[in-house]
Amino acid sequence: MNVPRSVSLPRVGLLAALAVLTLPQPAAAQESPRGWTSRSPFRPLNLPAANTLRTGAGRPGPDYWQQQVDYAIEASVDTGSQLLMGSERIRYTNNSPDALAYLWLKLDANLCDPESITSVLDVPPLLFGDAVFDFSCTGGSEMALTRVETIDGAPLRHEVQSTIVRVDLPESLPSGGVFELEVDWQWTLPEYGFGRMGRDGTLYQVAQWYPRLAVYDDVEGWSIHPFLGAGEFYQEFGDFAVELTVPAAYVVAATGTIQNPEEVLAGAQRERLAGAATSEEAVAIVTREEALATRSSSASGEKTWRFEAENVRDFAFAMAPDFRWDASTWNGILIQTFYRPEAVLWEEANRMSWVSIKHFSERIYPYPWPHATTVEGPNEGMEYPMLTFVPTETTREELYWVLTHEFGHEWFPMIVNSNERLHVWMDEGFNTFIDIGSVEEYFAGEEYADTVSRQPLELYAAHATVGEEQAMALPPDEHHDLYWAGYFKPALMLHLLQYEVLGKERFDRAFSEYANAWAFKHPYPADFFRAMEDGAGADLDWFWRGWLYSTARLDQAIEGVVRDPDEERTEVHLRSRGAMVMPIEMRLEFADGSQETVRLPVETWKLGPDFVYRLDSARELVAAQLDPRSVYPDDDRSNNGWRR
C-alpha cells in the first residue's frame, strides 16, 4: 500500500470532541452496523479440494492425466452437390485410471438436423452487441453416420442423441489401453452453419465437419453437454493426418502443414513460399492477377491435399479457386493470409497477423505450431488450431480487432484448453482482455489505441442492468447477453485485477505462469483462481465471488468529513454501499493548494462496510474524491465526492 509520507496509516475508531466541517452525517452512516449485515464478501470460496491431480497452488499435480485422440481422415468435397463424404480412423488412448465401457462422439453438425434440440426449441438468435448472432443452420443437413466399426470390420453398437453419439465397446478399455475405430459419414455443407462455418459462392470455410471424440477428464468424466449454438467446444489433444480431395482449381488452407506441395502447388508458388519462410514482409504466393485468372478458368479434375498436425485439439479447412495468398515469417512461424481479390483491406492483414502472433507469443506463451493462418470470408469470426476465419470488414480498426481476437484464441483455448461449453469467461473473456494490449501495440499513437482499453468500462452502463444482468459464471447457453457476460465484463474484471488490485507486474507474472502451467492441458476455474493467488501472493476469493458468481454492484461513497482542529486530525467517513468491494483510491485537496492521493487495499472493508480514514495533518482539507480517474464501474458517482 502506497501512503503519502505526510499521511498516517488508517486506523479504525471514533474521535472525541470533533468539529464538523460538513453537514451532519446521514443517519445511515451513524447507525451502520460494525460488521457486514449479510455474509462477509471475504469468506472463502467453496472450491473442490486440492489433490494430486490439481494442486492447491493451481498447478497440474504429479498424477494429472488426460486422454490422447489421434485421427487419420480422408474426405472429399463435391462443390456441385455440396456433399462432404469422409472416412476416419480414430485412435483413442485411455490415460485415465478408469476402465471405459463406451466412448462418446460429438456430431456438432447435427445442429442442422430438424430433430436437434436447437431446431425443436427454435432457439432465437442471440443479441450480440449491436449484431444478431444466429445459430441456425441454413442449407445443410444432419451428419449421417454410414459406418461405425472396429478396425477388424466388426460393427460397433452406437446411438445418436442429437449432437452426441454413444459408442459401446466390445469390452471395457482398461487404463493405459488403446482402442481404434473407423467411422464413415456424409454431410451436406450448409450455406450458413450456426455462425461457425459456411460458404459464399465458391468460398468454403469448413469446421465441425467430422465426428470427434468428447473429452473425458478428472472433473466431469465425459463432457457430453449438447451443442446448442452459443457454447463452443472442448476437445482432446491429438495428432491429425488428413487428406482432402477437392476440385483441381481450388487452393486449400487448413490446420496442419502441407505434406505434398509438389502435387498441389505450382513451381512458382513453391518458390515464393520458400522465400516467405525467411521474410518478415509479406510475399504474394498467389497474386491478385493470378487469383482472378484462376477464378475464370475452366480447369477440371481433382487434387488431393495432404496435411499433418501434431498436438492440436481440432482440424478445420477453407478452400476457394480465387484465393489471394500472402505469407511472411516471424520466429520460424509461417504467417499466412488467404482472401478474395475484392477484399482489398486484407492487403494489410498479413502484417496485422504478424504483429498479433508476436505480441501474444512474447507476453503469454510461445506460439507452438509451424504456421498461423487466417482466411477472409462470410463468417463473423471463428478460431481453430493454426487457422482462423475472419469477416471482410470495412475499416482497419474492425479488421484488426476481429483478426487479433481470433488469433488470440490460439492461446485461449487452443493451448490453454478450458471447457468452453461451461466456462465461456475463461475463453472469450481471457481473449478479449489480451486483445486490448494487441490493439494498443498495433495502433500506437492513434486514437483507437488510446481509447480501446476503456471500452469494457463504457459498456457497463448499457449492459449491467439491475434485474437483468446475469452472473458471468453461468454456461454460455444460459446467457441472454453473452456479448457482455462472456466477452467484455470478464475483460473489465481482469483489467481491474491487473491495474487496481494486484498491479501490472504481479498480475502479468501470475497470468503468464498460469498459462505456462496449463499449456496443452485442461484447467478449470479453481485452477485459475489458485494459480493467480499463488503467483501473485494474494487472497482473491472476494474478487472472484463479486465478479464471477454474482451480479454484485460497486458503490463507494464518502459519508462525511469531520475535523478536530485541536489535535490537527481530520476524519473521512467512507462506506461501501454496494455488495461488491474493491480497493479505494481517494484524491485529497487542501486549502494551501496541495493534493495527495491515498490508496487503500480492499482489506479496508474487512470489518464491515464502514471505514474511517484518519488524516493527521495541520493542513485543512477542502475536498475529497473517490475513484478520481473514473476507472471503476461505480453505480452512483454522485456520492464519490465531498467539498467543504
Side-chain angles (χ1 to χ4, degrees), residues 341-354:
E342 292 77 13
V344 293
L345 196 63
W346 272 69
E347 292 173 355
E348 190 181 352
N350 196 269
R351 186 62 185 172
M352 292 177 172
S353 303
W354 193 97

Side-chain angles (χ1 to χ4, degrees), residues 119-132:
S119 295
V120 170
L121 295 178
D122 193 19
V123 175
L126 179 72
L127 296 179
F128 199 75
D130 295 330
V132 176

Side-chain angles (χ1 to χ4, degrees), residues 280-312:
E280 293 188 353
E281 301 298 324
V283 174
I285 312 304
V286 176
T287 67
R288 182 177 186 276
E289 291 73 20
E290 290 168 341
L292 288 170
T294 306
R295 174 189 288 178
S296 59
S297 72
S298 57
S300 60
E302 294 179 329
K303 285 183 181 178
T304 297
W305 295 64
R306 296 180 176 86
F307 297 91
E308 290 185 2
E310 295 181 356
N311 205 22
V312 295

Side-chain angles (χ1 to χ4, degrees), residues 356-404:
S356 295
I357 297 301
K358 178 176 182 293
H359 176 90
F360 297 133
S361 293
E362 293 176 341
R363 288 160 178 79
I364 303 170
Y365 184 89
Y367 187 84
W369 297 299
H371 76 79
T373 299
T374 189
V375 181
E376 173 264 334
N379 292 296
E380 286 299 317
M382 193 59 200
E383 73 281 355
Y384 302 94
M386 298 188 238
L387 184 73
T388 65
F389 301 156
V390 173
T392 308
E393 295 300 357
T394 57
T395 68
R396 293 176 65 239
E397 291 81 5
E398 290 173 343
L399 176 58
Y400 189 84
W401 175 263
V402 182
L403 185 149
T404 203

Side-chain angles (χ1 to χ4, degrees), residues 44 70 113 116 153 239 247 356 376-377 393-394 399 401 430 495 498 501 515 535 555 586 600 610 621 628 630:
D70 303 318
D113 184 356
S116 73
D239 299 337
S356 295
E376 173 264 334
E393 295 300 357
T394 57
L399 176 58
W401 175 263
F430 284 11
H495 178 81
Q498 180 182 41
V501 178
D555 185 9
M586 180 168 58
L600 305 178
D610 296 288
L621 185 68
S630 299

Side-chain angles (χ1 to χ4, degrees), residues 245-290:
T245 299
V246 302
Y250 277 68
V251 171
V252 180
T255 298
T257 303
I258 300 174
Q259 300 300 299
N260 58 336
E262 68 286 346
E263 297 177 13
V264 294
L265 301 180
Q269 294 170 343
R270 298 198 301 273
E271 291 176 6
R272 295 166 186 170
L273 202 54
T278 59
S279 174
E280 293 188 353
E281 301 298 324
V283 174
I285 312 304
V286 176
T287 67
R288 182 177 186 276
E289 291 73 20
E290 290 168 341

